[in-house]
Amino acid sequence: MASKYVHVREYTVRAHQRLIHTRVFNFVCKQCDRSTKRETYGPRPLYCEKCRPPQAPRKSVTRSQKAKPRPMAYKSGLDLN
Ligand SMILES: [Zn+2]
């Protein structure tokens, strides 16, 4: 069977779901310089779980509590006839 290299053009993949897996990295934390390991989905982590907790507490998004205008039934003694 003959074989040869062909050039494959860059193309955009459609949006799709992909199952990804975590990996356990052994590394040295950049902040505390201790060797540690950490499980991540993405690239090699830089910081240990103490320096960068896995789920950092989200800053509570304080939404501006704007009072919405409400329809109000005004009672008046005036008769509009
Ligand atoms: Zn650390």
Side-chain angles (χ1 to χ4, degrees):
M1 285 244 295
S3 55
K4 66 175 183 176
Y5 285 106
V6 294
H7 184 73
V8 179
R9 279 204 191 171
E10 191 176 75
Y11 67 98
T12 310
V13 181
R14 274 190 204 174
H16 63 285
Q17 280 196 317
R18 179 181 293 176
L19 181 66
I20 57 173
H21 308 277
T22 56
R23 283 185 59 187
V24 177
F25 289 97
N26 290 289
F27 64 102
V28 177
C29 174
K30 269 199 167 185
Q31 189 159 317
C32 63
D33 280 334
R34 269 183 282 183
S35 71
T36 181
K37 65 178 178 180
R38 187 165 187 172
E39 190 178 359
T40 74
Y41 280 108
R44 174 176 288 265
L46 296 175
Y47 304 99
C48 70
E49 290 185 12
K50 282 177 187 171
C51 296
R52 294 289 187 279
Q55 272 145 17
R58 273 197 158 189
K59 287 170 191 171
S60 59
V61 182
T62 47
R63 284 192 182 176
S64 57
Q65 298 268 335
K66 275 187 183 175
K68 285 185 180 176
R70 283 188 189 179
M72 283 179 69
Y74 290 101
K75 281 182 185 173
S76 69
L78 293 174
D79 204 348
L80 300 171
N81 283 329

